[in-house]
Amino acid sequence: MKKRSYTCGLDAAIDVMGGKWKGLILFWLGEGPLRFGELRRAVDGISERMLILQLRELEAGGLVHREVHHQVPPKVEYSLTDFGRSLVAALVPLGEWGEQHLERLEAIRDRNGAAGPASRAPGTEGS
């Protein structure tokens, strides 16, 4: 029998989309297909290099589809796969929980000295 590498489903899900940026990338792609530059502008604060790395990982994980349109200039578009859409659907309640407890979470972060601005997904204000 093959040994499981994950301790539970949550462990597996966090491994697939863990990190600071993947959730935001998935959120924006949930709005519809985006070109690289559009996605970079949407995900505030991400560097070009980090976006490339994160998109490659999401694509390798089967969450994101990369489509190259052969034209001049070349056009590359990113979209969610069905697998990616299923993850975004699972993340919606987590985002809602974050919005409900945003002030408390920011106070905890500030008290603990965490650096950097909080990232809020647009369209989730007041949820």
Side-chain angles (χ1 to χ4, degrees), residues 14-29:
I14 289 171
D15 182 48
V16 169
M17 60 80 44
K20 178 178 181 176
W21 302 111
K22 288 180 184 170
L24 292 171
I25 292 167
L26 292 169
F27 170 83
W28 283 108
L29 290 177

Side-chain angles (χ1 to χ4, degrees), residues 6 32-33 61 82 84 87 100 103-104 112 117:
Y6 295 114
D82 288 340
L87 179 56
Q100 291 170 2
E103 288 181 27
R104 181 178 185 174
N112 292 332

Side-chain angles (χ1 to χ4, degrees), residues 8-71:
C8 65
L10 183 59
D11 185 24
I14 289 171
D15 182 48
V16 169
M17 60 80 44
K20 178 178 181 176
W21 302 111
K22 288 180 184 170
L24 292 171
I25 292 167
L26 292 169
F27 170 83
W28 283 108
L29 290 177
E31 301 288 311
L34 292 171
R35 293 178 68 174
F36 183 86
E38 295 170 325
L39 194 51
R40 178 143 185 243
R41 285 188 294 277
V43 182
D44 190 37
I46 194 168
S47 70
E48 184 173 325
R49 181 178 186 282
M50 182 56 69
L51 181 56
I52 291 167
L53 292 172
Q54 298 294 286
L55 284 168
R56 284 182 185 160
E57 289 180 20
L58 290 167
E59 186 180 5
L63 299 166
V64 169
H65 172 72
R66 180 180 186 264
E67 185 169 349
V68 179
H69 300 274
H70 298 287
Q71 63 186 49

